[in-house]
């Protein structure tokens, strides 16, 4: 419970006190490792990856995200709640795609988003699918592949309309 509280508190500080968020997530990681709670370790690594991304420390972000994905992969071999772990893995992979995109490595970003879509599809996570398709569309814009971007944005719009996801429809 304390690990979850530390990570939730870190999340609350992510936008205005990022250094505090990093300290809290490191504390959550340390405690998770001490009690050998793998989900807490993975969540802490993921948050450390996100917070370093927000600080534009892309190298550190990738390191923490690779560690999170390693934890998710191990848990997928042993855990009964695979849907939850797959969603966590997909979220970490999406973040890695954002890191690669921010570094200008657009093709690696597209690979990450595509892999995340496969994971999200396997658990019917429409929100994750739409998020990653949107990210892919933006990445295609960065690459100057406007026709591909438009096709993806129309795909997002079609799925959002089917799901009556009006917020997503407005974003597209």
């Amino acid at each position: 419970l304390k690990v979850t509280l530390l990570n939730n508190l870190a999340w609350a500080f992510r936008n205005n006190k990022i250094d505090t968020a990093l300290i809290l997530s490191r504390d959550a990681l340390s405690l998770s490792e001490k009690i050998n709670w793998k989900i807490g370790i993975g969540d802490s690594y993921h948050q450390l990856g996100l917070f370093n991304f927000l600080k534009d420390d892309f190298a550190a972000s990738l390191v923490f995200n690779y560690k999170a994905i390693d934890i998710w992969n191990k848990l997928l071999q042993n855990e009964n709640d695979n849907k939850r772990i797959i969603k966590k893995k997909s979220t970490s992979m999406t973040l890695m795609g954002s890191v690669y995109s921010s570094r200008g490595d657009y093709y690696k970003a597209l690979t990450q988003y595509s892999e995340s879509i496969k994971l999200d599809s396997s658990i019917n996570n429409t929100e994750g699918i739409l998020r990653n398709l949107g990210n892919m569309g933006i990445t295609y814009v960065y690459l100057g592949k406007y026709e591909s971007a438009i096709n993806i944005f129309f795909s997002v719009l079609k799925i959002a309309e089917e799901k009556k996801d009006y917020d997503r429809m407005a974003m597209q």
Side-chain angles (χ1 to χ4, degrees):
L1 182 62
K2 187 174 180 181
V3 170
T4 302
L5 290 173
L6 286 167
N7 274 329
N8 287 345
L9 190 56
W11 183 258
F13 281 115
R14 76 189 181 284
N15 291 322
N16 57 357
K17 294 191 181 267
I18 194 73
D19 291 326
T20 301
L22 282 163
I23 291 167
L24 290 166
S25 283
R26 281 189 207 109
D27 289 348
L29 175 61
S30 178
L31 181 57
S32 294
E33 290 173 335
K34 183 177 178 181
I35 62 175
N36 197 30
W37 186 38
K38 299 294 186 195
I39 290 175
I41 293 169
D43 285 341
S44 299
Y45 279 143
H46 175 78
Q47 286 203 163
L48 287 165
L50 173 64
F51 301 152
N52 277 286
F53 171 72
L54 295 174
K55 285 187 72 158
D56 293 334
D57 187 346
F58 302 135
S61 180
L62 287 173
V63 168
F64 286 118
N65 273 292
Y66 276 115
K67 289 181 177 186
I69 289 170
D70 185 53
I71 295 293
W72 306 140
N73 285 335
K74 288 176 182 171
L75 285 172
L76 284 170
Q77 295 172 0
N78 304 318
E79 191 73 24
N80 291 333
D81 190 8
N82 281 351
K83 185 174 181 177
R84 181 170 67 134
I85 303 304
I86 288 170
K87 189 172 181 180
K88 288 176 179 290
K89 180 179 176 182
S90 173
T91 302
S92 293
M93 292 180 76
T94 299
L95 177 54
M96 286 179 61
S98 297
V99 172
Y100 285 128
S101 181
S102 294
R103 289 177 24 165
D105 199 342
Y106 301 122
Y107 291 102
K108 278 189 178 179
L110 290 170
T111 299
Q112 292 298 315
Y113 298 143
S114 179
E115 291 299 315
S116 290
I117 288 170
K118 288 178 190 173
L119 289 171
D120 288 325
S121 294
S122 76
I123 58 170
N124 297 314
N125 180 13
T126 304
E127 180 183 330
I129 293 167
L130 292 173
R131 180 184 323 107
N132 282 293
L133 284 171
N135 288 340
M136 289 180 80
I138 292 166
T139 304
Y140 279 121
V141 169
Y142 294 152
L143 287 168
K145 296 185 175 192
Y146 303 113
E147 188 172 328
S148 295
I150 289 170
N151 289 335
I152 285 179
F153 290 139
F154 277 123
S155 295
V156 171
L157 187 59
K158 181 181 178 194
I159 296 168
E161 285 174 340
E162 290 170 1
K163 298 293 182 180
K164 297 190 184 329
D165 185 345
Y166 301 110
D167 289 336
R168 185 76 56 184
M169 288 165 53
M171 287 189 285
Q172 297 306 317

